[in-house]
């Protein structure tokens, strides 16, 4: 019999677990003890001593030698055990029929040679009434191990058990998982004890009666830093709960299912000061893959107690036992999301199936009772404009451990998938835009949601913030265009006898009526000019005497609203109860006045309104306001009746620049730049501005 070391290394990948050799040594020691207990009547308890020693191999301490030894009181390396040791794909343990013994293919020892160039051992076992001692001498870089490489001697007495020694680190690992820094961090006695306790926790629990009053000692000597720790039955915690789940994979009328067990340990941090929380998929009673990061999204959550407790959640099942890979560091045999199988394999349970059931159960176990989902939802809405309705629409769940950033990304990803899967695209968005009502309370939230939905179809999340702004504004321009053309559903689906409210709807697109920026922080006066988006205060049909200047004083004299009322009564009966439709104020002393006229009302009949407003506001502000920008917007004009206005280049509107003068003294109070605009021109201007950004982002035309 021969163990081909080079062939085994070529056909078995190195494990991703840096402590895999420790796991394999202890697993073999436990198995050897269970075999001894079956064969002997004496009531002994498991005894294992695992030692790690690191010594400097150069003066600077940048190169070292690492040695790991494991001594146990198992059955020893008898003929059957030696035969199994020399057979890579062995079924030796499968046929022993000993409860709790590990099932394996003999690939664990290959990890010894992946990490170390020298493996030697010394063992004593019983044979009849006597003892035999077997040894494999120290030799570096073996290519094979033959049965003749073992030395077997008779002994009159002896302590049954095995002592195995791993030494001389494989050179390429000195700079990676077995570097000086990683060894000093990972191979301390306490670190190894913690790893063994929780990586083999389920096995210790299931074998509690079989292992007796066991004692596992860990000794480390890392460059002179020595420490020693022990593991006994008193250190094994009781589980908090055990839950069974069934997972199905369904295709048409056919389905397959698998059962799993979730064992939860909720441990008081004062009694179990662990380095981290652990959520793992197990195979053969040992953790084969950690999935903690799936549920605890940050290292802070993962590495600290949650509400005073550390959590260990272990998932087991026959499917995991069968699906684990040879290195026992993953489940390569279980598909991620395609369980259709092939001609011979048939349907399979996938990890997508497993997590669809497992996720809710694990979240229930680790979520503290005082955690608030509402807090995260509010932060997501504030930071990213993602509303509760968007979370629901995109089927995005908010779980303990989520950050607002992660939730927003999931919303965008889920919406992107929905756009692809449902082929919902621009035509659907246009129909949604057509159904918006600008004067409704949730108009701006709905347009934000629509813009996020479309922005989610972009290829990268990094573009999302700018893209959402561009898409949102594009959508708003479409709403304005439809409102001007009376194409919104709210304009066409009127109950009998109800008057159209076209002017009010257009007004609401720019800013909600009878509100100010103290109540509503968001507005869309950028439709006229981008700089107006940054004015300090905006009011829509609000009393002007309530406006405060930067020092808290009133901007206008107390009778300003009475004066405005008199002015409006002169302008026309239909405006008798109104104030300037929209007024924006800036601390530098400028004000923007926007007046909307209902479709069919000719602008030339009101071209002097802007000057009258400007004159009144300048006079009543005690000289604080001097720069006036006025906009009179409608859809009809008779150019012959205009005086003092010039046509805007390339557009249908008109503009003028005039001094604002005190009527009696003719003293100059300020200056007014005014424009008479068609609603269509406002739409075209805004569309051209946003078109530059759409081109840069390569967004399709709306």
């Amino acid at each position: 019999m021969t163990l081909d070391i080079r062939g085994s290394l070529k056909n078995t990948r190195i494990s991703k677990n840096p402590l895999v050799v420790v796991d394999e040594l202890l697993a073999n020691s436990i198995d050897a003890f269970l075999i001894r207990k079956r064969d002997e009547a004496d009531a002994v308890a498991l005894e294992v001593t695992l030692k790690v020693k690191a010594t400097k191999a150069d003066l600077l301490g940048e190169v070292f030698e690492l040695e790991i030894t494991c001594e146990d009181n198992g059955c020893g390396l008898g003929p059957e055990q030696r035969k199994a040791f020399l057979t890579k794909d062995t079924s030796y343990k499968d046929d022993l029929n000993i409860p709790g013994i590990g099932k394996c293919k003999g690939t664990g020892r290959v990890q010894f040679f992946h990490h170390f160039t020298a493996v030697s051992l010394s063992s004593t076992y019983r044979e009849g009434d006597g003892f035999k001692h077997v040894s494999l001498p120290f030799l570096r870089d073996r290519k094979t191990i033959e049965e003749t490489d073992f030395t077997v001697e008779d002994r009159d007495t002896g302590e049954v058990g095995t002592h195995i020694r791993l030494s001389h680190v494989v050179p390429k690992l000195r700079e990676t998982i077995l570097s000086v820094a990683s060894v000093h961090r990972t191979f301390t006695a306490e670190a190894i004890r913690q790893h063994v306790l929780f990586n083999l926790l389920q096995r210790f629990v299931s074998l509690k009666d079989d292992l007796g009053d066991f004692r596992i000692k860990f000794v480390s000597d890392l460059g002179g830093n020595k420490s020693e720790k022990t593991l006994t039955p008193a250190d094994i915690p009781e589980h908090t709960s055990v839950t069974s789940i069934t997972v199905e994979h369904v295709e048409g009328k056919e389905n397959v299912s698998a059962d799993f067990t979730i064992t939860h340990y909720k441990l008081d941090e004062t009694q179990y000061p662990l380095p981290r929380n652990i959520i793992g998929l197990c195979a053969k009673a040992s953790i084969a893959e950690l999935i903690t990061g799936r549920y605890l999204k940050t290292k802070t959550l993962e590495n600290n107690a949650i509400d005073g407790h550390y959590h260990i959640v272990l998932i087991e099942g026959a499917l995991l036992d069968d699906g684990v890979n040879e290195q026992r560091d993953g489940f390569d045999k279980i598909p991620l999301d395609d369980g259709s199988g092939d001609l011979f394999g048939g349907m399979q349970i996938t990890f997508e199936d497993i997590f669809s059931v497992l996720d809710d159960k694990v979240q229930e176990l680790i979520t503290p009772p005082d955690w608030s989902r509402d807090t995260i939802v509010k932060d997501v809405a504030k930071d990213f404009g993602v509303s509760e309705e968007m979370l629901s629409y995109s089927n995005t769940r908010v779980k303990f451990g989520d950050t607002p950033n992660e939730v927003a990304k999931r919303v965008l990803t889920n919406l992107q998938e929905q756009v692809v899967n449902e082929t919902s695209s621009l035509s659907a968005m246009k129909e949604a835009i057509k159904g918006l009502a600008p004067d409704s309370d949730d108009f701006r939230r709905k347009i934000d949601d629509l813009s996020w939905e479309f922005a989610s179809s972009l290829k990268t999340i990094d573009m999302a913030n700018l893209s959402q702004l561009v898409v949102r504004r594009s959508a708003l321009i479409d709403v304005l265009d439809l409102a001007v053309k009376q194409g919104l559903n709210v304009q066409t689906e009127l109950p009998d006898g109800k008057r159209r409210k076209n002017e009010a709807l257009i007004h609401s697109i720019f800013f909600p009526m009878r509100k100010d920026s103290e109540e509503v922080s968001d507005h869309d006066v950028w439709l006229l000019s981008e700089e107006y988006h940054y004015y300090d205060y905006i009011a829509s049909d609000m009393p002007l005497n309530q406006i405060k200047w930067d020092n808290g004083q009133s901007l206008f004299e107390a009778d300003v609203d009475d004066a405005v009322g008199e002015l409006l009564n002169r302008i026309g009966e239909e405006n008798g109860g109104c104030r300037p439709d929209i007024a924006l104020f800036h601390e530098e002393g400028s004000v923007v006045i926007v007046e909307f006229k209902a479709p069919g009302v000719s602008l030339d009949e009101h071209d002097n309104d802007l000057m009258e407003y400007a004159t009144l506001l300048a006079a009543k502000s005690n000289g604080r306001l001097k720069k006036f920008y006025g906009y009179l917007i409608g859809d009809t004009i008779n150019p012959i009746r205009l005086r003092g206005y010039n046509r805007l280049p390339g557009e249908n509107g008109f503009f003028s620049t005039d001094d604002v003068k005190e009527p009696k003294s003719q003293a100059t109070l300020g200056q007014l730049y005014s424009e008479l605009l068609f609603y269509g021109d406002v739409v075209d201007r805004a569309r051209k501005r946003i078109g530059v950004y759409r081109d840069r982002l390569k967004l399709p035309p709306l």
Side-chain angles (χ1 to χ4, degrees):
M1 292 176 291
T2 303
L3 176 64
D4 181 356
I5 295 175
R6 290 198 303 179
S8 298
L9 291 175
K10 184 166 58 177
N11 295 321
T12 302
R13 299 194 307 270
I14 187 172
S15 173
K16 292 176 287 190
N17 174 11
L19 288 172
V20 62
V21 294
V22 172
D23 291 344
E24 294 296 341
L25 287 169
L26 287 177
N28 289 337
S29 293
I30 293 173
D31 289 343
F33 176 79
L34 293 175
I35 295 171
R36 178 180 180 180
K37 187 171 182 180
R38 179 201 63 176
D39 296 339
E40 296 183 9
D42 298 340
V44 297
L46 173 67
E47 294 279 348
V48 180
T49 299
L50 191 139
K51 296 181 179 180
V52 178
K53 185 175 183 180
T55 56
K56 295 180 181 179
D58 68 343
L59 294 176
L60 299 177
E62 296 177 351
V63 179
F64 69 98
E65 290 299 342
L66 181 66
E67 178 181 280
I68 300 178
T69 62
C70 182
E71 185 174 2
D72 63 51
N73 63 342
C75 63
L77 204 67
E80 291 298 318
Q81 289 78 36
R82 290 200 302 277
K83 180 180 178 182
F85 185 90
L86 295 173
T87 306
K88 179 175 181 289
D89 295 320
T90 179
S91 59
Y92 163 66
K93 292 182 182 179
D94 297 344
D95 299 329
L96 292 177
N97 196 27
I98 299 175
I101 201 164
K103 308 297 183 182
C104 67
K105 295 178 63 178
T107 58
R109 82 184 71 87
V110 178
Q111 298 298 329
F112 299 161
F113 297 103
H114 267 305
H115 292 75
F116 296 91
T117 63
V119 176
S120 57
L121 60 85
S122 172
S123 180
T124 299
Y125 62 94
R126 291 182 183 272
E127 186 171 87
D129 295 332
F131 299 88
K132 283 188 178 291
H133 179 265
V134 59
S135 63
L136 178 69
F138 170 85
L139 179 65
R140 295 183 63 176
D141 299 318
R142 290 181 184 269
K143 296 179 181 179
T144 61
I145 299 180
E146 309 277 352
E147 188 172 12
T148 55
D149 291 328
F150 291 94
T151 300
V152 182
E153 301 174 326
D154 292 328
R155 294 281 176 91
D156 294 332
T157 61
E159 293 290 335
V160 174
T162 298
H163 180 280
I164 187 169
R165 174 191 174 204
L166 312 178
S167 59
H168 294 85
V169 174
V170 173
K172 66 180 180 180
L173 298 185
R174 293 184 186 275
E175 298 178 359
T176 54
I177 60 174
L178 293 180
S179 66
V180 175
S182 63
V183 166
H184 280 76
R185 179 178 62 252
T186 308
F187 285 88
T188 66
E190 176 60 21
I192 298 175
R193 177 187 177 277
Q194 292 278 20
H195 170 81
V196 169
L197 171 59
F198 297 111
N199 198 59
L200 300 178
L201 179 57
Q202 289 298 81
R203 197 164 189 208
F204 286 129
V205 171
S206 64
L207 295 175
K208 193 171 184 179
D209 296 332
D210 297 300
L211 300 182
D213 190 18
F214 69 84
R215 180 182 176 85
I216 302 175
K217 184 174 8 178
F218 304 94
V219 181
S220 64
D221 182 355
L222 307 179
N225 295 322
K226 300 179 180 180
S227 61
E228 182 176 318
K229 297 290 180 180
T230 58
L231 184 65
T232 66
D235 300 314
I236 307 301
E238 294 290 335
H239 64 251
T240 306
S241 66
V242 177
T243 306
S244 296
I245 62 172
T246 299
V247 175
E248 288 187 315
H249 180 84
V250 180
E251 291 188 16
K253 296 182 179 180
E254 298 183 14
N255 75 297
V256 291
S257 63
D259 295 324
F260 298 86
T261 300
I262 306 171
T263 305
H264 177 219
Y265 298 83
K266 185 177 180 181
L267 307 177
D268 190 312
E269 64 175 325
T270 60
Q271 298 181 43
Y272 294 91
L274 307 184
R276 65 187 184 281
N277 296 282
I278 298 170
I279 304 172
L281 300 173
C282 297
K284 303 175 178 67
S286 300
I287 296 175
E289 184 173 349
L290 287 173
I291 55 172
T292 316
R294 181 180 180 89
Y295 305 99
L296 300 176
K297 303 294 186 178
T298 67
K299 288 299 181 183
T300 299
L301 281 173
E302 187 173 338
N303 296 335
N304 290 278
I306 300 172
D307 198 29
H309 294 84
Y310 283 99
H311 294 266
I312 301 174
V313 182
L314 304 176
I315 299 94
E316 299 175 279
L319 181 68
L320 297 177
D321 290 344
D322 296 336
V324 70
N325 57 26
E326 285 190 343
Q327 307 87 257
R328 286 189 283 189
D329 61 0
F331 299 87
D332 300 344
K333 302 172 187 177
I334 301 177
L336 294 177
D337 52 17
D338 182 7
S340 58
D342 53 32
L343 182 61
F344 303 101
M347 286 194 303
Q348 291 180 271
I349 299 289
T350 69
F351 271 115
E352 184 177 45
D353 301 322
I354 295 172
F355 288 129
S356 68
V357 179
L358 181 64
D359 286 351
D360 286 344
K361 298 297 182 182
V362 173
Q363 287 297 153
E364 290 175 10
L365 298 176
I366 65 174
T367 300
D370 60 348
W371 176 74
S372 173
R373 174 185 180 276
D374 292 341
T375 301
I376 299 295
V377 171
K378 288 178 181 178
D379 288 342
V380 173
K382 181 181 71 173
D383 297 342
F384 300 97
V386 175
S387 66
E388 177 76 55
E389 287 81 358
M390 288 181 67
L391 292 171
S392 176
Y393 178 79
S394 61
N395 296 319
T396 302
R397 295 187 59 223
V398 179
K399 306 179 292 264
F400 172 68
D402 282 337
T403 64
N405 184 277
E406 290 167 340
V407 173
K409 286 183 177 181
R410 285 210 304 275
V411 169
L412 292 177
T413 300
N414 292 346
L415 286 174
Q416 183 177 5
E417 291 177 358
Q418 288 190 17
V419 168
V420 173
N421 295 337
E422 301 172 10
T423 63
S424 64
S425 66
L426 294 177
S427 59
M429 185 179 180
K430 287 183 176 181
E431 287 300 313
I433 287 173
K434 190 174 180 180
L436 295 176
D439 59 343
S440 61
D441 292 337
D442 59 354
F443 165 67
R444 279 178 170 72
R445 180 189 56 75
K446 285 185 175 180
I447 204 162
D448 284 344
D449 291 356
L450 277 173
S451 58
W452 271 117
E453 179 182 340
F454 182 64
S456 69
S457 64
L458 299 175
K459 293 182 179 179
T460 60
I461 296 297
D462 292 338
M463 298 169 64
N465 285 334
L466 177 58
S467 301
Q468 191 268 349
L469 174 66
V470 173
V471 174
R472 180 193 184 280
R473 290 191 172 190
S474 299
L476 200 80
I477 293 169
D478 282 352
V479 174
L480 177 60
D481 193 18
L482 285 167
V484 169
K485 297 173 181 177
Q486 302 181 25
L488 294 171
N489 294 344
V490 71
Q491 294 172 293
T492 57
E493 301 172 357
L494 293 176
D496 292 340
K498 190 163 185 178
R499 186 174 67 88
R500 291 183 182 274
K501 47 182 180 179
N502 298 325
E503 179 185 352
L505 289 173
I506 294 171
H507 184 149
S508 297
I509 292 172
F510 286 78
F511 192 87
M513 297 183 70
R514 286 172 285 282
K515 303 285 186 182
D516 70 358
S517 51
E518 296 294 325
E519 299 177 74
V520 180
S521 60
D522 192 18
H523 65 78
D524 291 284
V525 186
W526 60 267
L527 286 162
L528 291 175
S529 175
E530 189 66 40
E531 66 179 298
Y532 298 158
H533 198 74
Y534 305 101
Y535 268 52
D536 302 298
Y537 181 86
I538 181 171
S540 173
D541 295 330
M542 294 289 289
L544 300 178
N545 62 11
Q546 296 180 8
I547 301 175
K548 304 295 182 182
W549 206 235
D550 57 354
N551 59 4
Q553 297 179 353
S554 296
L555 174 57
F556 296 106
E557 295 175 1
D559 63 347
V560 63
D561 291 295
D562 293 335
V564 169
E566 294 176 5
L567 171 62
L568 291 170
N569 285 329
R570 293 200 309 272
I571 292 174
E573 291 184 1
E574 68 172 4
N575 292 325
C578 302
R579 293 174 178 83
D581 286 338
I582 295 177
L584 297 91
F585 301 90
H586 195 280
E587 63 181 5
E588 69 177 11
S590 60
V591 58
V592 179
I593 303 165
V594 183
E595 275 291 287
F596 301 104
K597 295 304 174 185
V601 176
S602 187
L603 298 181
D604 54 87
E605 297 176 5
H606 298 274
D607 60 327
N608 290 321
D609 293 0
L610 296 174
M611 178 57 76
E612 292 193 53
Y613 273 129
T615 302
L616 189 150
L617 297 180
K620 292 296 182 178
S621 69
N622 294 314
R624 293 188 179 95
L625 300 179
K626 297 180 179 179
K627 298 178 181 178
F628 295 86
Y629 303 89
Y631 296 88
L632 190 63
I633 307 174
D635 68 352
T636 305
I637 195 169
N638 184 355
I640 299 175
R641 301 184 59 185
L642 290 177
R643 295 292 182 269
Y645 279 88
N646 298 308
R647 187 176 291 275
L648 287 165
E651 297 183 79
N652 296 319
F654 298 80
F655 76 98
S656 73
T657 303
D658 300 285
D659 290 335
V660 178
K661 295 185 177 181
E662 200 281 324
K664 292 183 180 180
S665 66
Q666 290 296 295
T668 299
L669 302 177
Q671 192 170 56
L672 168 67
Y673 172 81
S674 56
E675 291 186 359
L676 309 184
L677 298 175
F678 286 83
Y679 287 120
D681 289 335
V682 175
V683 171
D684 290 341
R685 282 183 177 184
R687 204 184 295 280
K688 287 176 182 177
R689 288 202 307 272
I690 210 69
V692 175
Y693 294 98
R694 295 187 67 87
D695 291 341
R696 291 283 180 86
L697 291 170
K698 295 182 170 52
L699 290 173
L702 284 174

